[in-house]
Amino acid sequence: VVSTQSTGEKMKLKNLMMKVQQYQFERTKESAFIRTERILEAEDIDRVELIQTPEEFNDVNTHFSLYYSSDIIDLQNLAKANATLDGLGTADQCKLSQKRSNYKMCQEKNLGTLVERFGLTARQFAENLSDQYNRHSVEQFTLMPEETAAEFTDKRRFCDEAKVLTGARYMIACQISAEPSVRACVRQAFYERALLTITPTQQGIREVDDPHPYAKFKFIKDKPVKDLTGEEFLKMWGAQKDGFVKLSLSICDRGAKDSYFEEIKMFFYRDEFSKLVQTWNEQRTEALGLALNKMLYPMFEQELIQKLKEEATNHYLSKCKMKLRRWLQMAPYTVENLDESSQVPGIRVLGLYVDLNEKDKPGYGVLINGEGEVEEVITLPYFRYSHRGPSNREFAKGKLADIEKLKDFILEHKPHVIGLPCEGRSLQYQRDLQEVVTALEQQHQIDPIAIELVDPSVAKTVQGNQQNLRQSFLAYKPETKDGTVDM
């Protein structure tokens, strides 16, 4: 559905159309004025109210700009002369350019008259296509295309009949591809029939082997887009973004006839067998092919790629949200016969963390009180090392010192549970902690302390917002903040 901003753009476009219509009406009053271009009708303005999507807005805007760019430029020049722009719009809004486009050049050479001799206007073809039958029949011109084109040759750009016909085909192809109803029909067909082909680049051929994450996307030929599931396309797009593959969409099998083109060319075709009619049919068919293959299909390919990316991204985000929700729905740790007489009631949790990727970084213990606040932090420089069996004497001695330090910390703060991230050497650290807790229970008769392995996924997920998290720990030195955030 069109956003609020797009709704405002709709109003601007409608107001501009109304100004152009009024301008055209005033020009027709001039006795010397003869208009050879399409008149803006009420139906064109009413079409703006029916816009529901950004694609439909672009379709209507493109149609308007193609036919009435000269009128808009005239209005803008008049407005500048009167020093009042008064909402006439800008070149950005209606995609106008002061440069002469190819279409404008053909128009100035009066090729629009030759286009009329193709026997069907773009609007009539659009109605045939929308209704799926020949509501308007092709009116056959009496001369061969080359004879007709000879009337429009000049000494410069259109110096022979072939170039004149090329320009005429280009003009009517532009008109057909700009018709909103044609775009709607072809877009729907392209989206429904689109086939995906992926081929590897030279880098992909060299680097993507069977164990590679992109291996399954290395070669794909004519896979129906409607068969894509989940975030599959996002991975394919990632493979292209990383330079391993080239991705493309088409409406038919590579090398096969375009079945959709074969279906719709009958709406711009006269079913007779004379040489005159068949020669004009070739011109009409070639113009329609130009509109589809060079103008509409490439545009819809980019549209559909963007649409598939958005759908895959939304699916992936939904999965992430569901997974995070499941993590956060885990019930809090409970302790039987909890003593609430302490100054800060609730369960005290000691979290231990050792960064296995940074060998020179010490381990940390963070004590969280019953209100979720950091109460105390302990640094354990040698806790990552083993004190059993053959090892560096300095490390083994440091590990034993860390164990004694940890015993004193636990004895002083009496946590109810100790948490360890379930990764790397977590089982080794769990055995070390179990020895510490067992020794304290025997020597000091403390209450049993549970040692739990915790999924570190939630902590790693929130690291993406570390800057905000670290603002909560301004009182701690940087390395301590790192350990706290990781927990």
Side-chain angles (χ1 to χ4, degrees), residues 127-250:
E127 292 175 356
N128 287 353
L129 181 61
S130 298
D131 296 341
Q132 288 294 295
Y133 82 99
N134 285 326
R135 179 177 174 182
H136 303 280
S137 299
V138 174
E139 296 182 6
Q140 183 58 58
F141 194 64
T142 56
L143 297 178
M144 294 291 282
E146 290 76 11
E147 296 177 60
T148 309
E151 178 185 340
F152 302 91
T153 57
D154 60 20
K155 296 181 180 180
R156 299 181 63 189
R157 183 72 178 257
F158 302 104
C159 56
D160 57 43
E161 291 82 355
K163 291 184 179 179
V164 171
L165 288 172
T166 299
R169 290 195 300 269
Y170 175 78
M171 277 195 76
I172 196 165
C174 288
Q175 293 172 1
I176 289 173
S177 65
E179 282 292 326
S181 57
V182 171
R183 288 185 167 213
C185 293
V186 179
R187 178 183 287 113
Q188 181 180 356
F190 190 92
Y191 282 16
E192 291 174 351
R193 306 184 187 201
L195 301 174
L196 171 67
T197 295
I198 296 178
T199 54
T201 61
Q202 289 299 317
Q203 180 184 356
I205 293 173
R206 290 194 308 269
E207 300 181 22
V208 179
D209 52 11
D210 289 342
H212 197 281
Y214 293 143
K216 62 183 297 187
F217 308 127
K218 189 174 182 180
F219 292 99
I220 294 178
K221 182 179 180 182
D222 298 327
K223 177 184 178 71
V225 167
K226 60 184 179 182
D227 292 344
L228 295 174
T229 58
E231 65 272 15
E232 189 176 13
F233 186 79
L234 203 58
K235 298 175 183 177
M236 296 174 180
W237 184 256
Q240 174 170 280
K241 190 176 180 181
D242 292 342
F244 295 115
V245 301
K246 178 66 176 176
L247 181 153
S248 62
L249 300 178
S250 64

Side-chain angles (χ1 to χ4, degrees), residues 10 55 62 77 130 145 160 166 229 247 304 321 342 427 431 434:
K10 282 172 56 178
E55 290 81 11
T62 300
N77 291 336
S130 298
D160 57 43
T166 299
T229 58
L247 181 153
L304 185 54
K321 290 176 184 177
S342 61
L427 293 179
R431 288 196 300 270
Q434 191 60 60

